[in-house]
Amino acid sequence: MKTSWRRRTALYATALLCCSGVVAAMPAGAAADTPHTTSAAVAPAAGSFSDDFDGDAGSAVDGGKWQLETGDNVDNHERQYYTGGNSNAALDGQGHLVITARKENPGNYQCWYGQCEYTSARLNTSGKFSAQYGHVETRMKIPRGQGVWPAFWMLGDDIGNVGWPNSGEIDVMENVGFEPGAVHGTIHGPGYSGAAGIGAGYNLPGGQAFADDFHTFAVDWAPDSITWSVDGNVYQTRTPADVGGNQWVFNKPFFIILNLAIGGDWPGDPDGNTAFPAELVVDYVHATTSDVAPPGATDK
């Protein structure tokens, strides 16, 4: 089992409304004029979420469903700068969202290590849609190469108040490029975060690589239970019994995140064999929430 060596959610601005989930957009002590994408406080939508990424080629994602985060991430020592608009996240006109990581720096972006070497994109549904229990799924084709780090994951809506890892984090799918045939599903919470996250890996048979085709990644989530699957094949279930006596922080709403990171403590940096641009091609993101009450809840 491999766990992710990262804390992706530190340095949230304390003034963010509706815990907008903006990535660590500047190293500690950096000037506060680094651009961010935030949203006004909006009540999360209930029921279901569906984006099949239909639209004209080159179009930006639906701003009613997604917001784009901007900045870098010092905590994981990632190398990319996340941009807004459609520069690194755009529809392809064939029903896909393409998140593109490039070895470039057209905006003279500054990262924690100096002048940024790469650009990419990170999107979230904070303030627009949150799930509490139900089925959360994506179908995507991930990129290949040393140092690439695609992920589909969720954070607790209360991160702006309680911080990470108390908010909880559910990693539906992570891949690090040095493991082309493996993905990982992990939970992070108080006392079991970063390298101590709790999860498992799923390996394709026969030496196949996830970058060769589209695959479906999902969690089925109920009170006190989260189950992961790849292409319909269940490979782990986690419950409060797995968190070593620590607090189970997953009986509450979470918002969805999609991103393609480059480099970092877990995947390592790209090397001379890593091809750019690298593309994470997303066919859809679907979520259906259940009306199951959390443990201990009572009707009023």
Side-chain angles (χ1 to χ4, degrees):
M1 180 181 74
K2 181 75 73 171
T3 53
S4 39
W5 292 79
R6 53 97 178 87
R7 181 185 177 193
R8 285 187 294 198
T9 54
L11 298 183
Y12 280 75
T14 57
L16 289 181
L17 297 176
C18 199
C19 58
S20 65
V22 174
V23 72
M26 67 187 85
D33 60 357
T34 303
H36 297 262
T37 300
T38 63
S39 68
V42 178
S48 63
F49 177 93
S50 180
D51 199 338
D52 295 296
F53 303 112
D54 295 321
D56 295 335
S59 299
V61 293
D62 185 345
K65 297 179 178 179
W66 302 95
Q67 60 178 338
L68 282 93
E69 306 176 17
T70 59
D72 68 341
N73 194 339
V74 60
D75 293 284
N76 295 329
H77 300 117
E78 298 166 17
R79 311 297 291 188
Q80 81 291 324
Y81 187 95
Y82 289 128
T83 69
N86 63 352
S87 297
N88 294 84
L91 307 185
D92 68 355
Q94 301 177 44
H96 305 117
L97 164 66
V98 182
I99 298 178
T100 304
R102 298 184 178 93
K103 190 173 184 178
E104 63 171 13
N105 188 350
N108 194 30
Y109 305 119
Q110 297 301 303
C111 287
W112 61 269
Y113 56 89
Q115 187 163 338
C116 303
E117 298 172 346
Y118 306 90
T119 61
S120 189
R122 173 166 149 168
L123 301 75
N124 73 62
T125 67
S126 177
K128 302 173 186 293
F129 175 81
S130 295
Q132 181 170 350
Y133 313 131
H135 183 83
V136 181
E137 176 177 306
T138 187
R139 181 175 182 264
M140 61 174 62
K141 184 177 181 180
I142 69 172
R144 69 175 77 241
Q146 167 59 36
V148 300
W149 187 5
F152 177 63
W153 51 300
M154 297 187 286
L155 285 171
D157 269 0
D158 58 354
I159 188 167
N161 295 321
V162 303
W164 187 93
N166 292 337
S167 62
E169 176 177 331
I170 303 170
D171 298 325
V172 183
M173 186 287 299
E174 291 184 284
N175 167 264
V176 285
F178 60 79
E179 295 180 329
V183 293
H184 300 269
T186 313
I187 52 174
H188 300 265
Y192 50 101
S193 63
I198 297 166
Y202 178 90
N203 293 275
L204 286 173
Q208 299 176 64
F210 276 98
D212 290 336
D213 204 349
F214 284 89
H215 293 274
T216 301
F217 308 98
V219 291
D220 286 282
W221 176 19
D224 288 346
S225 175
I226 305 171
T227 297
W228 284 255
S229 63
V230 175
D231 298 328
N233 300 305
V234 171
Y235 68 96
Q236 69 166 330
T237 297
R238 297 295 170 181
T239 72
D242 293 306
V243 301
N246 293 298
Q247 184 182 7
W248 176 265
V249 289
F250 307 103
N251 293 330
K252 61 184 179 183
F254 278 62
F255 62 89
I256 298 169
I257 305 169
L258 271 171
N259 72 288
L260 174 55
I262 300 297
D265 296 330
W266 186 21
D269 289 341
D271 61 22
N273 295 317
T274 308
F276 288 95
E279 294 183 343
L280 172 60
V281 183
V282 186
D283 186 24
Y284 63 76
V285 174
H286 295 164
T288 55
T289 63
S290 73
D291 57 1
V292 178
T298 58
D299 294 333
K300 294 183 179 180

